[in-house]
Amino acid sequence: MAALALPFAVPAAALEPEDAAGTTEALAPATQSLIAEIDTYSEGDQSKDPEGDLVKLTDLQRRVEADGQVPPNARGLLASAFGAAHFYANRYDRAVEFYAEAARLFEEGRAPPNEIAGLLNNQATILASLGRYDEAEASHLKALAIRRGIEGERGPAVSSSLFGLGYVYYREGRVEESIPYFRDSVEQQLEFNGEDDPLAIMRLASLASVLGRSGREPEALEIARRAETLGREHLGDDHPTYAITLNNLGNALIQSGRMQEAIPVLRETLRVRLATVGENASGTAISLRNLATALKETGARAEAEELNRRALAILEANAETDTPETFAYIYADLADLAALRGDWAAYDTLAGRSLEEADKRLGEADYNRAQVHLYHADRLRQRGRIGEALEIAERWTPVLAATLIPSHKDRIYAELLLARLRQEAGSEREALPLADAAIAQLGGKLGGLGTTDRQLVREAASNRDSALLYFAIATAADDPQRAFAALQLVNISDLALSQQLAGEAEGNDGTALAARDEVLALARKASQLEARFAAALEAQDGGAETLRGELDAARGALAAAERQLRSDFPEFVARYRPAPVALTELQASLEPDELLVMPLEAERQGWTVTLDRARGLAWQPFDQAELAARAGAIRRAVDSPADLTHFPLADAAALYRMLLPDGVSAGGKLLVHGGRLLSSLPLALLLTEDWAGSLDRAPWLITRASVQVLGNLEIHLRRHESVDTLSGEMRMVGIGGADLPAGADAGVALAGLFRSGRPAIASIGELPPLPNAAEELRAIAAALPGENDLILVGPDAAEESLKRADLSQARVLAFATHGLVSGELRGLWEPALLIGTAEGSGEDGLLGASEIARLRLNADWVILSACNTASGEDAGAPAYSGLASAFAQAGARSLMLSHWRVRDDAAARLSVSTVRGASGGLPRAEALRRAQLALIADRELPGAAHPAIWAPFVIVEN
């Protein structure tokens, strides 16, 4: 997690000579010489050699005492120098004592008030780092009173004291109380020092970090992006403060589970760190570790391993770590990467080092030590060494249970691992109750309205692994009810990765969001009181009982607010926190021709899980490596096909057998829920049998059935037929066909569209023109019933025009433009739609995912006839992420998305034909199927029978 970017000026500024000594001419020459020597130290840097300085300062103190004529202000400066030296020597208690003495002497000598305030500010910051919060608060308040006496209610020095007070409250666990101080401080810093001030930019980054940790994820990301933009524009790419803003933004994206977006940010962070502090700095090691984390989660394991080794070498050379468990975890990460590539010899060596570091540096009851041992037990289980793994789990799981609350992600996983090991060792009767209790905690957390989006996203990977373990336990016990419950928890955990874009109260469902925000505020209060109560108990603080009463009251208020929210806004709750549905109820709701397929993908083994009305729930394992290889071959064939007559037919047929072992009924409906790598492929392009003939006559899955993706089983259970078709009066809003320059000078001409003024010219130059976009939008409008459509094309296709439109009245919203992925343009750190803007508008021509999520929508259907608008293909990407989840969060109930860059002529044919069919009464998935089949059969359209042309779109409901 990113640390707060705190400015820390240790010594007080040197006083003017006449202030330090009064009328120095009246003093003896020896005394004047001592004062001059003190001034030299007060202006120096005690960080370079604090121990050596302390020796010299002690000698100087002895001579000052012997002289007896040195005035109070000069002796205050000497005490301040002592304080700085002790601080840099890591003796913080002694530093505080000397700063207190310096403050007393300054007051005695009537030093300038601003100097006294600066000293008090430094003293307070050290007191806060020591956990002496009451003293720190008092010191900051005293400094603030002095500064307000000088500057009034607002000013740069007042801003510094406000920030210091916010930091004290934040460190004390009073996060909600800290936020107004941080906000006010940042606002004043920007007002008085300007947006080009490094300190203002650092404090802006700190505010983003605090807001994120308080559960205000959308605002936190917005401010983190602003800090990055200001740092880049005003400080330059190679400024150390810019590295801090990038690091905070990258960490915010990691904590939000948005690894694909985090990677380009973290690469840039590493580049700036190397340029500013060099290869061997501890800050560089942190950047290497952060980037390695994101790369590992997205499948780039070889690079992740290299970066982790570089970070380890730096830390070992510097002997620098923030925490004693750092080395144990780095070795554990390297061991895990060795295991993932099947190198068990390397794993044994690295795991041994990890365990050695943990046992050497951490105590018997330390949570981190237990965690490292349990990592090892999990890998032993994978290798079939059940007895050894069980012995470790029995030893260390109780340590986690004793130190973590029941709903903590690591305790849940540890208890499920122990349950699975007991089951594999033949003790299923002991295993199931433990597993059921642990999974109940996970279910409560994933469905809890008081659990913040950030917490769910931060814990998504661990929660998913826990649910997969429970699925393995359930299938081994041949228990469909438990298996279906586990499957839904896996998918709900995946959906958490899309929740970080949830709109604030000004967006859709404003009243419901306001009620949800009240729940989250009460949850934050309860969480902070829990932490303070636990700390008070540990410290045997007499105020613990008072905190206990406050905590009980906060929990009661939270429970009441949750009940009210569920009662008043059941549909909102179903979308915001999907709840597992009953297997029997879902099975009974399926039509006779519907087949629901729910793929589960794990590290080594996956499962195809199917449900139909007649046969019920069934599952079959598959090899994850084989699935990845075959899906990868198909994805490469459709991304940038060089030859539209060739396609990996064998892989498409093998995937069909793997995912649908019992086949699909002719004329049926295939419903798809979940999947990871598979979510990057529309299943319509699978082959229902082996085929070696021409592509236009191939037995594609869509020749037998329509395909529809379900985002939410709870909402699907309550679906109504009228939701799936388009009829009656409606309003359509379409945007696309902007007048974007083309050719060799496109990048230069487009530079004016971006606030940074520095787009990636090569990337923009490669974007193909979209000559059919305007005609496509008009055709979609013509295919829909009703009038009063709003079509924004040419010069009107601008970001500011879209934002002025009342989108809440649109039932259909269509974009015919380019979709850009994070990092495709320099400074673009989120997915976006390229829609253009007019000069001087204040917009940048890019409608980013965070902006989309804040739109006020009430659309039955959003059509994204653009590039890269569905999901990422990386291993760690959530299903239907980026732009798709942003529109869903803004209020869209159905989406038509493209998985890869779509040829303009094919996109127009598919989108218009699908809308026309749906407007005529067909279900949307069936309308898309017929449009695709018509395109395949069209011999006039070059390459139309290749899946790269006809298969990119998918319908995602609810």
Side-chain angles (χ1 to χ4, degrees):
M1 215 176 258
L4 291 181
L6 287 173
F8 203 109
V10 177
L15 305 177
E16 294 297 322
E18 58 269 24
D19 293 323
T23 307
T24 56
E25 293 79 1
L27 297 174
T31 303
Q32 293 184 41
S33 177
L34 288 171
I35 293 171
E37 197 172 343
I38 291 170
D39 286 343
T40 300
Y41 274 105
S42 70
E43 295 168 357
D45 183 1
Q46 276 79 37
S47 67
K48 295 179 179 178
D49 182 20
E51 297 293 354
D53 284 339
L54 282 170
V55 173
K56 297 172 185 176
L57 288 168
T58 300
D59 176 68
L60 178 56
Q61 176 70 25
R62 179 187 57 77
R63 289 183 280 125
V64 166
E65 290 176 353
D67 179 84
Q69 299 301 312
V70 176
N73 283 341
R75 284 185 282 130
L77 286 178
L78 180 58
S80 178
F82 265 108
H86 278 295
F87 169 80
Y88 288 117
N90 299 320
R91 288 188 284 271
Y92 302 124
D93 287 312
R94 291 288 288 154
V96 168
E97 292 173 9
F98 276 102
Y99 277 125
E101 176 64 9
R104 186 191 66 77
L105 289 166
F106 276 7
E107 290 178 356
E108 179 184 334
R110 298 181 180 178
N114 62 307
E115 303 296 345
I116 296 175
L119 194 66
L120 290 168
N121 197 69
N122 290 339
Q123 180 186 31
T125 304
I126 298 176
L127 286 166
S129 69
L130 291 171
R132 294 161 62 179
Y133 301 120
D134 290 343
E135 297 171 73
E137 180 183 15
S139 188
H140 270 311
L141 287 171
K142 193 172 182 179
L144 178 61
I146 293 171
R147 286 169 167 174
R148 280 179 167 161
I150 298 170
E151 295 180 342
E153 288 298 308
R154 302 175 65 80
V158 168
S159 168
S160 180
S161 286
L162 291 171
F163 192 88
L165 276 167
Y167 180 62
V168 170
Y169 299 143
Y170 172 83
R171 284 288 301 266
E172 195 176 0
R174 297 156 63 184
V175 181
E176 290 302 298
E177 293 177 62
S178 76
I179 289 174
Y181 289 90
F182 282 124
R183 285 192 197 278
D184 202 6
S185 172
V186 168
E187 183 182 324
Q188 292 189 40
Q189 193 75 29
L190 290 168
E191 176 185 346
F192 291 101
N193 290 35
E195 291 186 340
D196 59 347
D197 176 38
L199 185 59
I201 294 170
M202 283 181 65
R203 286 182 176 169
L204 193 66
S206 294
L207 174 60
S209 180
V210 173
L211 288 170
R213 294 181 207 183
S214 75
R216 296 169 172 84
E217 295 86 0
E219 185 183 4
L221 271 175
E222 183 178 346
I223 291 177
R225 287 194 175 98
R226 184 186 177 199
E228 184 276 329
T229 299
L230 293 179
R232 172 164 36 88
E233 292 183 353
H234 295 297
L235 304 180
D237 289 358
D238 297 323
H239 194 285
T241 297
Y242 179 56
I244 292 172
T245 67
L246 277 170
N247 187 68
N248 276 18
L249 176 56
N251 271 298
L253 290 166
I254 283 181
Q255 294 300 323
S256 295
R258 298 160 70 173
M259 301 298 176
Q260 290 169 303
E261 295 175 47
I263 286 171
V265 177
L266 294 169
R267 288 195 189 282
E268 183 73 355
T269 305
L270 180 59
R271 185 195 68 76
V272 177
R273 280 267 160 86
L274 289 170
T276 54
V277 297
E279 171 72 33
N280 298 318
S282 58
T284 301
I286 292 170
S287 294
L288 288 165
R289 286 274 288 152
N290 289 341
L291 179 55
T293 297
L295 289 168
K296 179 184 175 185
E297 291 299 318
T298 54
R301 294 167 181 167
E303 186 180 1
E305 183 168 4
E306 177 201 350
L307 296 178
N308 264 321
R309 289 189 181 279
R310 284 172 60 187
L312 179 63
I314 294 169
L315 293 172
E316 286 183 330
N318 294 338
E320 288 187 37
T321 61
D322 293 333
T323 51
E325 66 270 11
T326 298
F327 286 117
Y329 277 127
I330 295 179
Y331 277 114
D333 281 346
L334 290 169
D336 191 50
L337 287 163
L340 289 171
R341 66 172 186 271
D343 186 349
W344 293 111
Y347 171 84
D348 288 335
T349 300
L350 292 164
R353 286 296 306 272
S354 175
L355 296 170
E356 178 186 338
E357 290 287 342
D359 292 342
K360 177 175 65 177
R361 298 174 184 267
L362 305 171
E364 281 287 323
D366 190 280
Y367 146 76
N368 295 290
R369 184 177 177 185
Q371 188 77 320
V372 169
H373 279 275
L374 287 166
Y375 288 161
H376 183 50
D378 206 3
R379 288 303 180 188
L380 289 174
R381 184 182 72 87
Q382 177 186 340
R383 298 163 76 179
R385 293 160 64 175
I386 304 302
E388 296 172 68
L390 179 58
E391 183 179 352
I392 294 171
E394 296 283 10
R395 162 71 177 84
W396 291 104
T397 300
V399 173
L400 289 191
T403 54
L404 301 177
I405 60 174
S407 61
H408 192 282
K409 64 182 179 65
D410 295 327
R411 177 171 169 180
I412 291 172
Y413 187 81
E415 290 177 343
L416 284 163
L417 174 63
L418 177 56
R420 179 64 173 140
L421 287 167
R422 286 176 177 174
Q423 183 187 47
E424 289 178 308
S427 301
E428 188 167 279
R429 181 173 294 181
E430 294 181 24
L432 288 177
L434 177 61
D436 289 341
I439 210 67
Q441 292 290 336
L442 177 58
K445 182 165 56 175
L446 289 175
L449 299 176
T451 307
T452 67
D453 293 338
R454 185 183 179 93
Q455 181 182 351
L456 285 184
V457 170
R458 186 172 58 244
E459 299 180 359
S462 181
N463 293 338
R464 186 176 197 275
D465 289 343
S466 294
L468 284 167
L469 257 181
Y470 190 68
F471 183 82
I473 292 169
T475 54
D478 197 24
D479 189 323
Q481 300 291 339
R482 283 188 170 99
F484 187 60
L487 179 147
Q488 292 183 82
L489 291 176
V490 171
N491 284 325
I492 289 175
S493 187
D494 278 350
L495 285 172
L497 294 177
S498 302
Q499 294 294 332
Q500 74 273 11
L501 290 173
E504 292 297 329
E506 70 269 22
N508 194 42
D509 290 308
T511 307
L513 280 166
R516 181 210 64 174
D517 289 345
E518 180 184 353
V519 169
L520 291 179
L522 289 168
R524 287 191 292 266
K525 181 178 181 180
S527 177
Q528 291 161 30
L529 284 169
E530 284 175 1
R532 293 174 63 191
F533 176 61
L537 284 178
E538 185 176 351
Q540 297 183 337
D541 190 329
E545 285 307 309
T546 300
L547 286 171
R548 186 197 298 275
E550 293 179 20
L551 177 57
D552 288 342
R555 285 171 172 167
L558 172 59
E562 280 204 44
R563 288 192 299 272
Q564 192 68 44
L565 179 56
R566 292 183 188 278
S567 172
D568 292 347
F569 305 102
E571 291 188 7
F572 170 83
V573 171
R575 282 188 285 116
Y576 173 64
R577 285 288 181 267
V581 302
L583 176 58
T584 53
E585 188 178 4
L586 182 62
Q587 182 178 346
S589 76
L590 293 174
E591 299 295 330
D593 62 346
E594 288 182 335
L595 175 66
L596 176 59
V597 59
M598 300 166 282
L600 283 184
E601 299 178 48
E603 183 182 300
R604 297 173 302 279
Q605 177 181 285
W607 292 269
T608 291
V609 185
T610 58
L611 178 67
D612 64 20
R613 189 167 185 171
R615 291 172 293 183
L617 195 74
W619 56 82
Q620 177 172 302
F622 59 75
D623 182 76
Q624 184 69 28
E626 180 186 355
L627 179 139
R630 295 191 184 280
I634 294 174
R635 182 72 199 212
R636 289 189 295 273
V638 295
D639 273 333
S640 300
D643 184 352
L644 290 177
T645 64
H646 289 85
F647 186 74
L649 300 170
D651 290 303
L655 269 185
Y656 178 82
R657 290 190 295 270
M658 184 183 299
L659 298 175
L660 299 162
D662 295 324
V664 177
S665 301
K669 302 173 186 176
L670 182 64
L671 308 177
V672 184
H673 180 62
R676 284 211 152 183
L677 283 174
L678 286 170
S679 70
S680 71
L681 291 178
L683 298 191
L685 54 61
L686 299 184
L687 289 168
T688 60
E689 59 186 77
D690 291 328
W691 181 257
S694 63
L695 296 180
D696 61 335
R697 288 179 295 188
W700 305 113
L701 189 151
I702 59 159
T703 63
R704 296 183 64 82
S706 63
V707 181
Q708 177 178 307
V709 175
L710 301 182
N712 186 313
L713 293 181
E714 184 181 5
I715 292 177
H716 181 73
L717 193 62
R718 303 196 307 265
R719 70 192 187 278
H720 191 277
E721 286 297 326
S722 63
V723 174
D724 197 44
T725 60
L726 293 171
S727 60
E729 293 296 318
M730 65 178 59
R731 187 185 191 218
M732 180 260 196
V733 174
I735 184 167
D739 290 335
L740 301 179
D745 297 329
V748 176
L750 278 168
L753 293 178
F754 303 95
R755 280 191 287 264
S756 67
R758 293 177 292 174
I761 292 176
S763 297
I764 293 175
E766 292 172 359
L767 295 177
L770 302 175
N772 299 320
E775 181 182 349
E776 175 186 350
L777 291 171
R778 293 189 181 100
I780 291 174
L784 292 167
E787 298 178 352
N788 300 318
D789 298 322
L790 176 63
I791 307 297
L792 302 172
V793 297
D796 295 326
E799 184 178 1
E800 57 273 18
S801 301
L802 180 71
K803 289 181 176 178
R804 282 196 299 266
D806 184 4
L807 299 180
S808 65
Q809 300 301 311
R811 284 189 58 196
V812 177
L813 182 62
F815 290 85
T817 184
H818 286 292
L820 303 175
V821 298
S822 175
E824 192 166 351
L825 301 180
R826 189 175 190 180
L828 174 63
W829 304 130
E830 64 175 333
L833 293 170
L834 177 60
I835 57 177
T837 186
E839 186 175 353
S841 71
E843 301 291 353
D844 60 8
L846 293 169
L847 189 65
S850 59
E851 294 176 292
I852 292 168
R854 293 194 298 273
L855 295 175
R856 183 188 293 271
L857 299 183
N858 189 28
D860 288 333
W861 203 0
V862 171
I863 301 169
L864 299 182
S865 181
C867 313
N868 302 318
T869 54
S871 65
E873 61 192 275
D874 289 334
Y880 304 99
S881 58
L883 297 173
S885 63
F887 276 107
Q889 293 298 333
R893 287 182 286 278
S894 180
L895 305 166
M896 181 173 170
L897 310 168
S898 59
H899 276 291
W900 51 80
R901 184 165 289 174
V902 190
R903 206 170 71 187
D904 190 41
D905 54 352
R909 284 275 301 275
L910 289 168
S911 60
V912 173
S913 295
T914 301
V915 170
R916 187 175 291 123
S919 180
L922 291 174
R924 290 167 189 161
E926 177 62 20
L928 175 60
R929 184 181 86 92
R930 296 189 186 188
Q932 290 171 323
L933 290 173
L935 196 63
I936 292 171
D938 187 350
R939 287 176 169 76
E940 300 298 321
L941 190 68
H946 195 284
I949 305 302
W950 65 260
F953 286 107
V954 65
I955 301 293
V956 181
E957 294 290 350
N958 56 58

